[in-house]
Amino acid sequence: MANFYTDNEALKLHLNHPMMKKIVELKERNFADADKFDYAPQNFEDAMDSYDRVLDIVGEICGDIIAENAEDVDHNGPRVENSRVIYAEGTKKNLDACRKAGLMGMSMPRRLGGLNFPITPYIMAADMVSRADAGFENLWGLQDCAETIYEFADEAQKEKYIPRVCAGETMSMDLTEPDAGSDLQSVMLKASQKEDGSWVLNGVKRFITNGDSDIHLVLARSEEGTKDGRGLSMFIYDKRNGGVNVRRIENKMGIKGSPTCELVYKDAPAELVGSRKLGLIKYVMALMNGARLGIAAQSVGISEHAYREALDYAKERKQFGKAIIEFPAVAEILSLMKAKLDASRTLLYACSRFVDMYKIYDDIAKERKLEVEEKKEAKFYSRLADAFTPLAKGMTSEFCNQNAYDCIQIHGGSGFMKDYACEQIYRDARITSIYEGTTQLQVVAAIRHVTTGTYLDWIKGEAEKQVAAEDEAVKATLNFMTQQYIDAVEAVTGVNDPKFLDFMARRLVEMAGYIVMGYLMLDDTQRDSSFRKSLHVFVNYGKAEVAKHADFIGNFRPEEISDYLYAE
């Protein structure tokens, strides 16, 4: 029996990170639920044991059910009948297994039917589900949307919808339209308020993941005569009420098991979430940040799958009388795949811990006034979560695509055939750097934290930590890379030209990313020396990439930008 949790020691390392003690104690309000729910933990050790046991179940379901169904789901996929989505048989089995195991609404409070898990162990589950079948993660992982209902809906809406999600009903976020992709300010789906105060929705949504879900979060234009984000509000649409039909399912390159739908709203009854006009400005931004963390987890899961497929093939495939893993060119590819995987995963879980901290404090603030130190800490982690989320989504998705590419390269011609899993991995990986905000948009979100010093401040804090003697040389390399980064930031910002900053933004963000990931891996190595080889490989790789960007920035004249701009 396969188990995607017990066969991956890296997950336990990150689950047992020192920050988890504070996260768990805050999340559990010092274990106040212990007297109310028989499955609530009594203390920190009990909580960690619970996470471990549930993740073991997730790992078993991923290995024995979801992964086994993945090829069939990819070949058959969902279909539309009478304006409704019919899932592939494998997808139905996957959902049934997850429902029976109680793996829906994992981070929701117990009073609403959830497990009250922090974000971090939930993201670990998403990591494993994505390794098993990236397309299924898009269905199971949309339970994330319940977080937005919990944060912003009124109590009646929470009590009405969240228990349904925890019981296994699926969700979707209906944002994109035919003429509004990344530019959500252009959303035109109309929300009209009737005389009795109720709302109905009319219009079309496109590229909606799991678009025929049970409960939808919908971005719609509620204010007549507006054309920007200030006229948009967030709504809940309940499929039970009717009014939305599936026009078609997109014929996609990958993640075939996930139905990406075009939806037609016709007088569809809906409920306003929170306040009018805050749909995009506040609620969707929170929703998207959660989704981006989920895509980072998906990227890591796909990277894991790609690395394992490549490693297994390289051990078994013989050429010129020996296994191809013995050839230095192949061994180097594998070592870099592993380094990128380990770097991606450590960045993912650093980000999830920061998100945990600020979200828990936000939740506590609804119950009581935060102490001065708590407010300070909440602000600190909110800033880090804001900085690390686009970095995690951007870097992990790019590494995911690179690992998928290298997986096929190691397979050679066989990797181009559908007989091997790497062909599906390659197709599934491609979307990760596109949806929920392209890599270019993640750079737009991250560059502010380059210019304001968020990344540098965090890096300096890490640089002060003590490391083992055998890691001093790596730390010195990271310090050198940091100075190159500082010099590059000063060179770009010193020009004082927004166009020049935009042009160099990706280079600066990637430089920060390589250094941040290097320090995170250095920290992991202090807790588990088995990461040392990956650390060395990644820092050598990152050093070359940082030097490349530093050289480009240092030798580039601002007037040369005109060579890169097109007037057509």
Side-chain angles (χ1 to χ4, degrees), residues 91-261:
T91 301
K92 293 177 185 177
K93 292 174 184 177
N94 296 344
L95 282 169
D96 185 57
C98 290
R99 285 167 178 150
K100 287 178 178 176
L103 302 178
M104 311 295 277
M106 289 175 67
S107 64
M108 290 295 99
R110 295 184 186 90
R111 66 181 178 84
L112 296 172
L115 297 179
N116 202 51
F117 273 27
I119 297 294
T120 297
Y122 162 68
I123 286 294
M124 288 185 179
D127 181 343
M128 288 186 278
V129 170
S130 301
R131 172 185 162 191
D133 182 357
F136 181 67
E137 158 61 15
N138 282 357
L139 277 67
W140 177 84
L142 277 165
Q143 61 179 276
D144 258 355
C145 295
E147 192 79 29
T148 299
I149 295 177
Y150 179 69
E151 286 184 29
F152 302 115
D154 61 37
E155 194 60 33
Q157 289 171 327
K158 293 177 191 177
E159 293 176 0
K160 179 179 179 181
Y161 293 109
I162 292 177
R164 287 170 54 185
V165 176
C166 296
E169 292 194 35
T170 60
M171 293 197 71
S172 65
M173 47 183 185
D174 303 4
L175 308 179
T176 307
E177 295 180 7
D179 296 317
S182 297
D183 182 15
L184 290 176
Q185 291 191 94
S186 300
V187 159
M188 293 307 295
L189 185 111
K190 187 176 182 181
S192 306
Q193 191 168 27
K194 298 163 72 174
E195 289 185 5
D196 63 2
S198 63
W199 292 86
V200 292
L201 306 177
N202 285 278
V204 176
K205 290 288 184 181
R206 192 183 182 199
F207 295 156
I208 305 306
T209 301
N210 197 34
D212 198 25
S213 67
D214 300 299
I215 303 164
H216 302 228
L217 288 176
V218 188
L219 183 64
R221 190 160 297 281
S222 58
E223 312 308 310
E224 287 278 355
T226 61
K227 292 184 179 180
D228 61 12
R230 290 169 291 185
L232 299 171
S233 300
M234 177 73 79
F235 296 86
I236 299 173
Y237 163 73
D238 186 344
K239 182 178 173 181
R240 295 176 183 178
N241 295 329
V244 177
N245 286 324
V246 179
R247 180 179 283 169
R248 63 172 178 153
I249 294 176
E250 303 290 346
N251 186 13
K252 306 189 298 292
M253 177 193 295
I255 54 168
K256 294 256 184 191
S258 164
T260 302
C261 304

Side-chain angles (χ1 to χ4, degrees), residues 322-510:
K322 57 184 178 181
I324 64 172
I325 198 170
E326 296 182 41
F327 294 108
V330 173
E332 182 184 356
I333 293 173
L334 284 166
S335 65
L336 188 53
M337 288 178 74
K338 180 64 161 59
K340 288 175 180 176
L341 168 61
D342 289 340
S344 295
R345 182 168 278 127
T346 196
L347 178 59
L348 169 67
Y349 293 121
C351 184
S352 73
R353 291 189 296 269
F354 298 153
V355 171
D356 260 325
M357 287 295 292
Y358 102 83
K359 278 187 174 288
I360 292 169
Y361 274 129
D362 273 2
D363 201 30
I364 292 173
K366 296 173 184 176
E367 302 166 7
R368 63 170 175 80
K369 189 175 180 180
L370 295 179
E371 302 291 336
V372 173
E373 281 305 309
E374 289 178 323
K375 285 183 180 179
K376 184 178 177 181
E377 194 166 51
K379 185 177 180 181
F380 173 75
Y381 283 111
S382 177
R383 188 181 185 209
L384 283 179
D386 191 54
F388 272 61
T389 297
L391 195 67
K393 201 278 186 183
M395 297 295 288
T396 63
S397 63
E398 292 294 328
F399 282 173
C400 166
N401 275 275
Q402 292 165 22
N403 275 3
Y405 178 98
D406 284 338
C407 180
I408 286 184
Q409 194 69 17
I410 283 178
H411 280 71
S414 297
F416 201 66
M417 309 301 162
K418 288 187 178 289
D419 301 334
Y420 290 86
C422 56
E423 182 270 342
Q424 182 185 342
I425 291 169
Y426 189 77
R427 290 185 287 106
D428 287 349
R430 189 61 190 90
I431 191 61
T432 59
S433 58
I434 298 172
Y435 62 4
E436 311 308 344
T438 62
T439 300
Q440 290 73 23
L441 283 178
Q442 303 314 304
V443 169
V444 171
I447 191 62
R448 176 168 61 92
H449 295 286
V450 170
T451 58
T452 59
T454 308
Y455 298 126
L456 184 58
D457 289 344
W458 182 89
I459 289 166
K460 286 178 176 178
E462 291 297 299
E464 293 175 0
K465 293 181 178 178
Q466 296 295 313
V467 298
E470 56 264 56
D471 296 320
E472 286 290 352
V474 170
K475 185 177 178 182
T477 299
L478 288 169
N479 286 339
F480 177 73
M481 291 161 62
T482 301
Q483 189 56 55
Q484 289 179 301
Y485 169 66
I486 291 170
D487 293 343
V489 173
E490 289 178 354
V492 173
T493 56
V495 174
N496 198 26
D497 181 354
K499 284 186 179 179
F500 189 58
L501 177 61
D502 290 346
F503 181 73
M504 293 298 185
R506 182 161 181 172
R507 295 172 182 85
L508 294 175
V509 170
E510 286 185 358

Side-chain angles (χ1 to χ4, degrees), residues 74-92:
D74 181 60
H75 288 170
N76 296 310
R79 65 186 189 279
V80 176
E81 289 184 8
N82 300 317
S83 300
R84 299 271 70 87
V85 169
I86 308 297
Y87 292 132
E89 287 305 310
T91 301
K92 293 177 185 177

